[in-house]
Amino acid sequence: MKWADMDHSFCEEHLLGLPEYFNSLSSLFIIFFGIYGLMNLHNDLFIDILYASLAIVGFGSTGYHWYGNIGWALFDEIPMIVTIFSGIIYTDNVYFLTYNNKYIKENSDSDLTVTIREHSNNMNNMNIIKTDRKWNVNNIYIKKRKLVVYLFGMYTFMICDVMSDYRMVFPQLFTGVVVYMYYKIYNLIQLLDPSFQSLVKYKALNSLLTVSISGAIWSFTEISCKYVNYHILLVGHPMWHFFIGHGFYNLIQVVYYIKLHNINYRLRYDSFYLLQMHSNTDSQFELL
């Protein structure tokens, strides 16, 4: 395999040839959304990694659609794999933190009741502490095992992507990983208290639908282009580039907001329909 070896083509190349001007230029939207996310000063390190990865995906996509060779194809697809698995790992970590905080809160109330009723029973309190420690240790090990599984899956996916007999199934494999990420985000939102859940539920749903609908349009136009030569089908791939960048930008903001779990801030759409965190008070974000 050489960098300049030609890779499989898309609808625009089939109809207009290389370079794919519409697909290349629309990939710049992905770079824009990644850089726009990096400009948020309150991000933690992992959020910056996700937004930087999104921008790199856009860079690789621009080169891929301009040149159409295998080198740029892998520059597009491998960052996509890394970004989606990083998103799953981050979501799973936020789920663990949220579940742990919820468990501690519920058991703190329970411990207080026990202390009031049996103030003199020190052994009972010791048993409660041991149970909490056991729960935390068990779940930490579960979290670590999941991390190993996710990384194993990510590396396996990347290895398969460079194999000529597996490259053509990249869209199907990537879709499967995205669906799993949707499942993890759904579980995370279901874990939230109803009052906080109402602040993020529909924003997350809008982001998920944005990515899903644009993905469906991309699939329809690319498949249809194999049978009919309608130039209207050229809109599908650029739409996918715009809305996957837009949708994932907002989705990252939602998950990060859930991690912060701070009612002093609200997620609001700006003029570009991109989510931003705004303070309800005069306080400023603490840099994490």
Side-chain angles (χ1 to χ4, degrees), residues 6 8-13 17-28 30 57-69 72-73 76-77 80 218 222 237-238 240-241:
M6 296 307 295
H8 60 280
S9 62
F10 296 99
C11 182
E12 185 174 351
E13 181 183 354
L18 286 174
E20 298 175 358
Y21 294 104
F22 298 119
N23 290 346
S24 297
L25 293 176
S26 61
S27 296
L28 298 177
I30 305 176
V57 169
F59 178 76
S61 179
T62 301
Y64 182 25
H65 290 294
W66 190 269
Y67 295 104
N69 56 41
W72 281 107
D76 177 26
E77 294 168 359
M80 287 175 67
W218 176 86
E222 289 296 332
H237 212 127
W240 160 253
H241 286 160

Side-chain angles (χ1 to χ4, degrees), residues 136-148:
N136 285 324
V137 170
N138 287 341
N139 279 271
I140 288 172
Y141 281 130
I142 291 173
K143 177 184 174 184
K144 291 178 182 294
R145 287 197 295 268
K146 284 185 174 181
L147 176 62
V148 172

Side-chain angles (χ1 to χ4, degrees), residues 6-263:
M6 296 307 295
D7 195 50
H8 60 280
S9 62
F10 296 99
C11 182
E12 185 174 351
E13 181 183 354
H14 175 69
L15 294 178
L16 302 177
L18 286 174
E20 298 175 358
Y21 294 104
F22 298 119
N23 290 346
S24 297
L25 293 176
S26 61
S27 296
L28 298 177
F29 285 118
I30 305 176
I31 300 176
F32 167 78
F33 291 123
I35 294 175
Y36 193 77
L38 279 171
M39 292 174 63
N40 293 326
L41 298 180
H42 59 270
N43 293 347
D44 65 17
L45 176 61
F46 215 119
I47 293 298
D48 275 340
I49 290 173
L50 288 173
Y51 280 128
S53 297
L54 186 64
I56 292 170
V57 169
F59 178 76
S61 179
T62 301
Y64 182 25
H65 290 294
W66 190 269
Y67 295 104
N69 56 41
I70 188 66
W72 281 107
L74 295 177
F75 208 142
D76 177 26
E77 294 168 359
I78 289 179
M80 287 175 67
I81 296 170
V82 173
T83 303
I84 198 68
F85 274 95
S86 298
I88 291 172
I89 292 170
Y90 186 76
T91 302
D92 205 59
N93 185 60
V94 173
Y95 181 93
F96 173 82
L97 294 173
T98 305
Y99 195 94
N100 191 41
N101 292 336
K102 187 175 183 180
Y103 176 87
I104 291 173
K105 181 178 182 299
E106 291 175 352
N107 282 270
S108 295
D109 296 339
S110 176
D111 292 353
L112 180 60
T113 303
V114 172
T115 304
I116 293 173
R117 290 180 180 177
E118 303 180 27
H119 180 70
S120 61
N121 194 340
N122 293 328
M123 184 59 69
N124 211 23
N125 289 333
M126 289 175 63
N127 289 336
I128 291 171
I129 293 172
K130 288 180 180 178
T131 301
D132 287 349
R133 287 176 178 171
K134 182 179 180 182
W135 185 92
N136 285 324
V137 170
N138 287 341
N139 279 271
I140 288 172
Y141 281 130
I142 291 173
K143 177 184 174 184
K144 291 178 182 294
R145 287 197 295 268
K146 284 185 174 181
L147 176 62
V148 172
V149 171
Y150 293 145
L151 291 177
F152 183 84
M154 182 182 74
Y155 294 134
T156 302
F157 195 171
M158 287 192 289
I159 292 169
C160 291
D161 194 44
V162 301
M163 305 296 175
S164 58
D165 51 343
Y166 287 105
R167 279 199 45 71
M168 297 301 294
V169 297
F170 173 86
Q172 292 82 358
L173 293 176
F174 186 78
T175 300
V177 178
V178 170
V179 169
Y180 180 75
M181 187 190 70
Y182 281 19
Y183 167 74
K184 299 300 295 184
I185 293 174
Y186 172 81
N187 284 343
L188 174 60
I189 293 174
Q190 292 301 112
L191 184 64
L192 301 175
D193 296 330
S195 58
F196 192 77
Q197 186 184 95
S198 64
L199 300 177
V200 299
K201 183 177 180 180
Y202 292 105
K203 293 180 175 66
L205 180 62
N206 288 339
S207 303
L208 294 172
L209 285 176
T210 297
V211 176
S212 300
I213 293 173
S214 63
I217 293 173
W218 176 86
S219 298
F220 172 78
T221 54
E222 289 296 332
I223 293 173
S224 299
C225 199
K226 296 178 181 178
Y227 304 100
V228 293
N229 295 329
Y230 295 150
H231 283 68
I232 188 64
L233 298 175
L234 294 175
V235 303
H237 212 127
M239 285 181 63
W240 160 253
H241 286 160
F242 178 85
F243 287 110
I244 191 176
H246 190 284
F248 272 112
Y249 168 90
N250 283 342
L251 207 54
I252 293 169
Q253 285 290 296
V254 169
V255 176
Y256 184 48
Y257 181 67
I258 292 173
K259 181 198 173 186
L260 294 178
H261 205 296
N262 192 332
I263 60 174

